[in-house]
């Protein structure tokens, strides 16, 4: 097995990325920002080629019978591409995440400790059909001084190849070696990538819970999971009806294929009779299929009965499950049982209820009186994101630059030895923050 790894083309590929990343890590902020601007310009020049490649991907995917939600993620129009390029330039405007001094401490006279931020090294990112994710990921990787090996969904292969080709062309006239960005093109390479713990420092899989678990079970490399988005909106008894309708519609239909779109609507029983007919009319006008529990069916008799599977499903489509609850606590319990710890929201004018919800619900994002669609690195001001982490340990939620750095302890002395600080006449440490 070890001999195979030595001769593997992917191992050599990863080694090149590692070497390029090592040089990228010590480049100045100015050099990294120049590279980011060069990427933006190269993507603008290649706009026609990228859109043409995406059109071909979409046509092939349609012929293969791609599911509608996946097709929406795959489709890259001129507006999505424009926004993605704007996101690249936004990353260029962000503060430098590298070299920040987090601790500056005198251990003793002349013995100084610093904790400073530094890049992780090489990122391995496996993402779904959405090709513009490659643009966001690369810009964040360059800014944070990391190399990146990308593997997009097979449906988006042509789009990703066109995007990475443009990025490498842009980097070729900068201080960043184009080898810092690599693209894998076959499914078989994923398993091999997961074995490259010598060269890859973090794997970020973006996909279903089952896929994230598969990755975690098949690698020694740390994994930052971007898994299912089973998001809920709870309309409390203290909700403003108009506000609740607008937020519900936006949370579901603004971009239903997104992981931060709601899949289940929870409604307090005291407000259900007034609220549900109005929100149902608004949603059905947008072609949303509604599925309801027994209580909901009494108010909306013409919708589809919900089953246990509906509470567990990320539709990523114009389908919404509805459940009536009798209390805030019952809503929280439902979210605890079925939520994916992505983004949850409450609509209420009752501040005490809102504070309880935000304190007790365990999710990366817990919102009050606003759409779950705000769960996004760009909207948070991160410039872009490599994914949204639903894990308990940080980084959590949209992962921008801060999730792509680590730190090291640097100590400088002048002949200091530990013996001085041990034994009968041990000298004391000063431990003075500078």
């Amino acid at each position: 097995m070890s001999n195979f790894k030595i001769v593997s083309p992917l191992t050599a590929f990863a080694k090149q990325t590692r070497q390029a990343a090592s040089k990228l890590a010590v480049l100045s902020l100015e050099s990294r920002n120049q590279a980011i601007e060069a990427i933006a310009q190269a993507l603008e020049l290649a706009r026609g080629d990228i859109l043409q490649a995406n059109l071909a991907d979409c046509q092939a995917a349609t012929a293969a019978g791609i599911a509608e939600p996946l097709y929406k993620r795959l489709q890259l129009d001129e507006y999505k591409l424009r926004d993605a390029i704007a996101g690249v330039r936004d990353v260029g405007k962000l503060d430098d995440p590298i070299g920040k001094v987090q601790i500056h401490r005198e251990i003793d006279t002349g013995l100084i400790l610093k904790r400073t931020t530094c890049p992780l090294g090489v990122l391995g990112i496996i993402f779904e059909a959405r090709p513009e994710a490659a643009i966001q990921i690369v810009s964040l990787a360059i800014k944070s001084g990391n190399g990146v090996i990308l593997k997009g969904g097979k449906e988006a292969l042509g789009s990703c190849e066109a995007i990475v080709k443009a990025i490498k062309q842009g980097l070729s006239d900068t201080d960043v070696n184009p080898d810092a960005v690599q693209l894998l093109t076959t499914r078989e390479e994923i398993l091999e990538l997961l074995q490259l713990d010598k060269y890859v420092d973090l794997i970020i899989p973006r996909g279903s819970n089952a896929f994230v678990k598969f990755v975690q079970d098949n690698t020694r490399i740390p994994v930052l999971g971007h898994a299912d988005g089973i998001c809920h909106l709870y309309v409390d008894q203290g909700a403003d009806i108009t506000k609740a309708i607008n937020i519900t519609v936006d949370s579901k239909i603004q971009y239903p294929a997104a992981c931060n779109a709601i899949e289940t609507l929870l409604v307090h029983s005291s407000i259900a009779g007034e609220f549900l007919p109005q929100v149902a009319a608004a949603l059905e006008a947008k072609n949303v299929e509604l599925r309801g529990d027994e209580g909901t069916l009494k108010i909306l008799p013409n919708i589809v009965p919900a089953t246990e599977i509906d509470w567990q499903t990320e539709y990523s489509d114009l389908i919404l499950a509805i459940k009536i609850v009798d209390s805030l606590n019952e809503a929280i319990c439902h979210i605890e049982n079925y939520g994916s710890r992505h983004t949850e929201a409450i609509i209420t004018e009752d501040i005490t209820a809102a504070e309880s919800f935000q304190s007790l619900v365990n999710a990366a994002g817990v919102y009050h009186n606003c759409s779950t669609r705000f769960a996004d690195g760009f909207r948070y001001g991160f410039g872009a994101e490599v994914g949204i982490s639903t894990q308990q340990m940080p980084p959590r939620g949209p992962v921008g630059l801060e999730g792509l750095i680590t730190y090291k302890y640097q100590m400088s002395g002048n002949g200091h030895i530990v013996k001085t600080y041990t034994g009968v006449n041990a000298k004391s440490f000063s431990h003075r923050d500078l």
Side-chain angles (χ1 to χ4, degrees):
M1 184 65 181
S2 59
N3 289 336
F4 172 74
K5 288 177 74 173
I6 290 171
V7 301
S8 163
L10 183 52
T11 301
F13 201 55
K15 188 176 181 180
Q16 287 179 341
T17 310
R18 186 87 181 175
Q19 291 168 343
S22 296
K23 295 175 182 176
L24 169 58
V26 296
L27 286 180
S28 68
L29 174 64
E30 182 182 10
S31 290
R32 281 177 279 128
N33 282 343
Q34 286 174 349
I36 288 168
E37 175 56 29
I39 288 172
Q41 291 180 15
L43 289 168
E44 285 175 336
L45 285 173
R47 187 189 305 262
D49 292 340
I50 293 168
L51 293 176
Q52 190 63 41
N54 182 254
L55 180 61
D57 282 341
C58 288
Q59 289 172 342
T62 299
I66 189 173
E68 181 65 19
L70 199 59
Y71 181 86
K72 289 176 181 175
R73 292 184 182 184
L74 171 62
Q75 199 169 28
L76 180 62
D77 58 27
E78 60 181 301
Y79 305 109
K80 274 190 187 178
L81 183 56
R82 177 200 63 196
D83 291 346
I85 295 170
V88 172
R89 290 194 163 105
D90 284 339
V91 169
K93 297 170 188 173
L94 297 173
D95 291 341
D96 191 359
I98 302 174
K100 289 188 179 298
V101 179
Q102 299 176 325
I103 294 174
H104 190 197
R105 183 170 296 159
E106 178 194 84
I107 303 302
D108 192 10
T109 303
L111 184 62
I112 306 300
L113 174 71
K114 286 184 179 180
R115 189 172 82 185
T116 58
T117 58
C118 58
L120 284 168
V122 175
L123 315 172
I125 313 225
I126 310 165
F127 57 99
E128 75 284 43
R130 194 159 54 205
E132 70 268 25
I135 297 172
Q136 298 175 343
I137 290 162
V138 169
S139 59
L140 288 169
I142 299 297
K143 183 78 175 197
S144 57
N146 291 292
V148 62
I149 299 175
L150 302 164
K151 174 64 180 77
K154 64 181 184 298
E155 302 86 357
L157 179 58
S159 306
C160 289
E161 286 180 328
I163 287 168
V164 172
K165 179 182 177 183
I167 287 170
K168 283 177 166 286
Q169 286 175 338
L171 291 177
S172 64
D173 292 326
T174 73
D175 293 334
V176 177
N177 186 333
D179 285 344
V181 180
Q182 306 283 16
L183 177 68
L184 306 186
T185 57
T186 69
R187 190 179 185 88
E188 292 71 30
E189 288 172 313
I190 295 176
L191 268 175
E192 193 176 347
L193 173 67
L194 299 181
Q195 306 311 311
L196 298 179
D197 50 290
K198 184 176 179 181
Y199 301 109
V200 179
D201 299 280
L202 180 68
I203 296 286
I204 303 180
R206 297 174 49 153
S208 68
N209 280 328
F211 176 66
V212 172
K213 188 174 188 309
F214 170 82
V215 170
Q216 291 169 332
D217 290 345
N218 286 278
T219 188
R220 293 193 297 267
I221 304 168
V223 176
L224 183 67
H226 173 115
D228 287 350
I230 301 178
C231 303
H232 299 77
L233 184 66
Y234 167 54
V235 179
D236 185 53
Q237 60 185 336
D240 176 295
I241 295 289
T242 302
K243 195 179 292 183
I245 292 169
N246 289 336
I247 293 172
T248 301
V249 172
D250 187 83
S251 295
K252 181 69 244 183
I253 69 104
Q254 198 276 329
Y255 185 37
C259 58
N260 55 17
I262 59 168
E263 308 297 5
T264 299
L265 178 66
L266 302 172
V267 183
H268 195 283
S269 55
S270 67
I271 203 173
E274 181 183 2
F275 171 69
L276 282 177
Q278 296 181 62
V279 78
L283 289 165
E284 287 170 341
K286 301 292 185 179
N287 300 313
V288 177
E289 177 190 318
L290 303 178
R291 302 178 183 181
D293 71 340
E294 191 175 334
T296 302
L297 291 171
K298 290 177 182 176
I299 300 170
L300 304 173
N302 296 322
I303 69 172
V304 177
T307 68
E308 177 67 17
I309 296 299
D310 287 301
W311 314 130
Q312 306 169 27
T313 301
E314 182 181 17
Y315 304 112
S316 300
D317 203 353
L318 292 173
I319 303 171
L320 182 65
I322 305 174
K323 182 177 182 179
I324 293 176
V325 295
D326 291 325
S327 67
L328 170 66
N329 186 58
E330 188 181 344
I332 292 172
C333 287
H334 181 94
I335 291 168
E336 180 66 24
N337 286 333
Y338 298 104
S340 59
R341 298 187 176 183
H342 191 298
T343 306
E344 311 291 355
I346 182 173
I347 311 302
T348 187
E349 300 306 304
D350 181 341
I351 297 302
T352 301
E355 289 175 349
S356 294
F357 185 89
Q358 290 189 302
S359 298
L360 295 171
V361 169
N362 183 8
V366 189
Y367 294 0
H368 173 216
N369 282 355
C370 57
S371 171
T372 57
R373 286 283 292 120
F374 282 107
D376 178 86
F378 178 77
R379 296 186 178 103
Y380 279 12
F382 297 167
E385 66 185 38
V386 294
I388 295 183
S389 171
T390 53
Q391 66 185 25
Q392 197 76 358
M393 292 292 289
R396 198 180 193 198
V399 179
L401 291 175
E402 85 294 335
L404 303 180
I405 57 154
T406 184
Y407 52 77
K408 63 177 70 170
Y409 290 94
Q410 300 169 320
M411 188 176 283
S412 299
N414 187 22
H416 291 75
I417 57 174
V418 169
K419 183 179 179 182
T420 308
Y421 305 93
T422 60
V424 178
N425 298 313
K427 188 179 182 186
S428 298
F429 295 113
S430 59
H431 287 160
R432 181 172 67 93
D433 286 331
L434 302 174

